[in-house]
Amino acid sequence: MTSSRFTRRRLVSAIAGAGAALPFLGRVAFARQAAARAPNRPLIVTSKTFAQVREKITGAGMAALQNGGSALDAAEKAVNVSESDPLDTTVGYGGDPNEEGFLQLDASIMSGRDGCASGAVAALENIRTPVSVARLVMERTDHSMLVGKGALKFARMHGFKEEDLLTDQARDHWREWKENLNPRDYYFGPKDRPGARPAPRTPGDLEDLRRRFEDLDSITLLVLDGHGDIAGATSTVGHHFKIVGRVGDSPIIGAGLYVDNAVGAAGATGHGDEIIRHCASFHVVEKMRDGLSPQQACEFVCRRAIERHDGRPMFNFKLVALDRHGDYGCCSVRGRVDAATKALTGQGFFVHDAAGARLEEGRGLLPPLTDEELAALPWR
Ligand code: ASP
């Protein structure tokens, strides 16, 4: 009797113990499985899904690797493509300006080798390829970030040419925003007469807000090269029509980007101010260090952000990650509802490896903001 009671109690406590340990055991098992597989490398993962540029971007990264370049070279060259393309309105040349009509650019780069070196620039004006300036901050100074006039001076010192980055299309977009800023101001749009201004909160206004809060698409790009080295880079114009001097997550190491050769890398895009508050990329890498897969780690950090906003975050961001074995993942706080299947999906991310370049769907945790929620956000 005694012995059978003892046995049962032991059995119950063994089951309970195993239950508590299960998530951990699962993670260890996952890490072992991943280690046993041949690593999937080289591999490039980017948040950038814009159809006109995504393949050119990762193609440039792969070409750099094929020509003997490092993960860092590949990350820089790939992001340069996004920065230089006028169609890409969230990054570099052709991007939307700040509220006063000029561009202030943020960028960062980080190498998993060399003790996780990093460089960044913020509020940099008139330079087409800020990520290349960030790389020089990393390699040619003892600092990790230069901003504004100092960053521009440093870029000029290294031979970067100043140019007007505002395209006609971006200027039109900005002027239209300015002309419709306030029904009682003194600007007229081309079709407006005094007293006949468009009412605020029209469907167009809501679309503009949705874009501002949900569809941010600056670039974060992660590379695992054939030797197992990892690098990452970001670049952005920030939020379109942002306040002059505003700096987002992209140049902040640990927020928009984090890389560690021993574990993997993570990067972010979307509402940068929230990404900063959550130290999102650092957190993803640390969860991978604990044994979570890249997908699980991205989901963990998005879920944490949702919890901290009582389940109703009025923003969106997207996280991408890869680990040193070449596994990868993506999750966004808010997904989108697929028109055909009605399924909730993440906003997608772009992957390039030996199997080719392709768009993959990340996981979205919450549905998009409703029109009512958007209309209730602080206006203008
Ligand atoms: N994360 C960027 C920022 O807040 C914006 C973006 O992703 O487009 O500056």
Side-chain angles (χ1 to χ4, degrees), residues 41-84:
R41 60 192 203 207
L43 165 69
I44 299 180
V45 174
T46 179
S47 61
K48 178 61 79 176
T49 56
F50 184 44
Q52 269 104 326
V53 292
R54 60 197 184 198
E55 222 157 328
K56 285 192 254 170
I57 291 169
T58 59
M62 281 297 177
L65 293 177
Q66 274 151 16
N67 292 333
S70 62
L72 201 63
D73 296 327
E76 180 191 1
K77 295 286 171 260
V79 169
N80 283 163
V81 172
S82 174
E83 292 174 326
S84 302

Side-chain angles (χ1 to χ4, degrees), residues 216-218 236 238-239 246 248-250 269-270 272:
L216 300 158
D217 190 26
S218 66
T236 186
H239 287 205
R246 180 261 184 188
D249 61 296
S250 305
T269 180

Side-chain angles (χ1 to χ4, degrees), residues 45-335:
V45 174
T46 179
S47 61
K48 178 61 79 176
T49 56
F50 184 44
Q52 269 104 326
V53 292
R54 60 197 184 198
E55 222 157 328
K56 285 192 254 170
I57 291 169
T58 59
M62 281 297 177
L65 293 177
Q66 274 151 16
N67 292 333
S70 62
L72 201 63
D73 296 327
E76 180 191 1
K77 295 286 171 260
V79 169
N80 283 163
V81 172
S82 174
E83 292 174 326
S84 302
D85 195 315
L87 295 176
D88 193 341
T89 58
T90 57
V91 182
Y93 177 70
D96 280 336
N98 60 23
E99 65 176 356
E100 290 188 8
F102 60 96
L103 285 94
Q104 290 187 311
L105 307 176
D106 299 339
S108 67
I109 194 159
M110 188 165 187
S111 164
R113 222 166 50 177
D114 312 323
C116 299
S118 69
V121 290
L124 175 63
E125 294 172 26
N126 299 342
I127 302 292
R128 188 182 275 245
T129 52
V131 78
S132 297
V133 185
R135 181 168 179 177
L136 285 168
V137 172
M138 174 176 118
E139 292 180 338
R140 304 292 288 268
T141 79
D142 191 29
H143 301 320
S144 54
M145 186 191 287
L146 295 176
V147 307
K149 283 197 171 61
L152 178 59
K153 230 170 152 172
F154 176 80
R156 275 206 235 106
M157 177 182 148
H158 283 277
F160 287 83
K161 299 275 171 286
E162 281 192 74
E163 60 184 308
D164 185 0
L165 302 175
L166 192 66
T167 56
D168 289 345
Q169 184 191 324
R171 183 182 293 103
D172 288 349
H173 189 201
W174 168 72
R175 197 176 45 229
E176 187 193 325
W177 170 79
K178 189 133 178 121
E179 286 165 350
N180 290 293
L181 202 52
N182 178 338
R184 290 194 293 275
D185 65 25
Y186 297 98
Y187 292 105
F188 299 147
K191 294 192 197 73
D192 292 340
R193 297 182 320 279
R197 307 297 301 276
R201 305 194 184 190
T202 61
D205 290 338
L206 286 178
E207 246 349 275
D208 195 42
L209 264 184
R210 186 172 294 288
R211 193 169 158 224
R212 191 182 322 171
F213 283 88
E214 295 210 318
D215 289 345
L216 300 158
D217 190 26
S218 66
I219 187 163
T220 185
L221 180 132
L222 312 172
V223 181
L224 169 66
D225 72 17
H227 309 287
D229 282 324
I230 307 175
T234 69
S235 193
T236 186
V237 300
H239 287 205
H240 65 292
F241 317 140
K242 65 189 180 184
I243 295 172
V244 175
R246 180 261 184 188
V247 173
D249 61 296
S250 305
I252 311 283
I253 295 301
L257 179 67
Y258 198 71
V259 181
D260 186 339
N261 259 13
V263 180
T269 180
H271 199 98
D273 306 281
E274 287 297 334
I275 296 166
I276 292 172
R277 285 174 199 128
H278 294 285
C279 300
S281 296
F282 178 72
H283 201 174
V284 170
V285 171
E286 290 310 299
K287 292 316 284 184
M288 290 196 289
R289 196 189 305 279
D290 287 349
L292 295 198
S293 70
Q295 182 62 36
Q296 289 168 329
C298 291
E299 288 180 20
F300 182 95
V301 175
C302 286
R303 206 166 287 120
R304 172 69 63 81
I306 293 169
E307 280 161 18
R308 283 186 61 188
H309 288 267
D310 299 325
R312 290 193 71 230
M314 303 301 270
F315 58 82
N316 196 11
F317 63 69
K318 174 170 72 178
L319 302 172
V320 291
L322 59 74
D323 69 15
R324 66 196 176 95
H325 309 292
D327 192 14
Y328 55 84
C330 170
C331 183
S332 58
V333 169
R334 291 183 176 277

